[in-house]
Amino acid sequence: MDFREMMDSKYRDLLVSYIKDESEQALYQGQKFSRKSIEHKISPEDIISLHKYLMIDLYPDLPEHVVKSFDILLEVMMGYGLAYREHQSLRHVQQ
Amino acid sequence: MDFREMMDSKYRDLLVSYIKDESEQALYQGQKFSRKSIEHKISPEDIISLHKYLMIDLYPDLPEHVVKSFDILLEVMMGYGLAYREHQSLRHVQQ
């Protein structure tokens, strides 16, 4: 299992666990997941895309308006990912 | 209407418009929205929070698992917002 598959599987577990019993533990694991994914240069839009994919996979009867709403969220988050990467390359140039 | 209220209203319009007819125009407006919100230092977790709020408001019968799933997404995105702000303050120190 490569890093990406491992992250997908980890995020699936987090979602399932939190939706099942709203445990604080799952939220805490969410913070750890976030640190790891940032370290491995996973973009914020990749996270939205994964979230959408997993919700459709876990809930095949997910309402169409929910599925579509993720596309707008994805589009907006792409701007955040781009701004972050630009920031990083500017810093790289400055160093 | 202050900037924040204006952004909330704009994002609501984007969601409604895209969910209604999946127009490319709404996706394009999403990119513009993103640039504006980054300019005004709206964090990525604020966007997730707004998305959650508006989906509940627009669809009062939104399934509980969808509502809960946003909490995990929010937790993960908080890490991204934090990393971005740390990056900005590091750059500020370097300048």
Side-chain angles (χ1 to χ4, degrees), chain B residues 2 16 30 38 65 81:
Chain B
D2 68 10
V16 169
I38 292 167
H65 51 260

Side-chain angles (χ1 to χ4, degrees), chain A residues 11 14-15 18-20 22 26-27 30-31 33-34 37-38 42-44 47-48 51 55 59 62-63 65-66 68-73 75-80 83-84 87-88 90-91 94-95, chain B residues 11 14-15 18-20 22 26-27 30-31 33-34 37-38 42-44 47-48 51 55 59 62-63 65-66 68-73 75-80 83-84 87-88 90-91 94-95:
Chain A
Y11 192 70
L14 283 178
L15 270 178
Y18 187 74
I19 289 169
K20 191 168 136 267
E22 288 176 272
L27 287 180
Q31 293 170 17
F33 173 88
S34 184
S37 58
I38 292 166
I42 308 284
S43 69
I47 301 287
I48 306 297
H51 187 88
M55 288 300 286
Y59 303 100
L62 199 66
H65 51 258
V66 173
K68 287 186 190 171
S69 83
F70 288 132
D71 294 332
I72 287 289
L73 189 57
E75 201 69 33
V76 170
M77 216 46 77
M78 280 173 71
Y80 279 81
Y84 186 64
H87 242 281
Q88 285 183 310
L90 272 176
R91 269 195 70 202
Q94 284 178 342
Q95 278 167 349
Chain B
Y11 192 70
L14 283 178
L15 270 179
Y18 187 74
I19 289 168
K20 192 168 136 268
E22 288 176 272
L27 288 180
Q31 294 171 14
F33 173 89
S34 185
S37 59
I38 292 167
I42 308 283
S43 69
I47 301 287
I48 306 296
H51 187 88
M55 288 300 287
Y59 303 101
L62 198 67
H65 51 260
V66 173
K68 287 185 191 170
S69 83
F70 288 132
D71 294 332
I72 287 289
L73 189 58
E75 202 68 34
V76 170
M77 217 45 78
M78 281 173 70
Y80 280 81
Y84 186 64
H87 242 280
Q88 285 183 311
L90 273 176
R91 267 195 73 200
Q94 284 179 342
Q95 278 166 350

Side-chain angles (χ1 to χ4, degrees), chain B residues 29-42:
Chain B
Q29 293 294 326
Q31 294 171 14
K32 278 174 61 178
F33 173 89
S34 185
R35 280 196 291 273
K36 276 268 171 243
S37 59
I38 292 167
E39 253 174 60
H40 284 80
K41 310 219 177 294
I42 308 283

Side-chain angles (χ1 to χ4, degrees), chain A residues 9-40:
Chain A
S9 152
K10 184 76 196 160
Y11 192 70
R12 176 190 290 266
D13 291 348
L14 283 178
L15 270 178
V16 169
S17 159
Y18 187 74
I19 289 169
K20 191 168 136 267
D21 59 14
E22 288 176 272
S23 72
E24 284 293 316
Q25 182 61 17
L27 287 180
Y28 172 67
Q29 293 295 328
Q31 293 170 17
K32 278 176 60 180
F33 173 88
S34 184
R35 279 196 292 274
K36 276 267 170 242
S37 58
I38 292 166
E39 253 176 60
H40 284 79

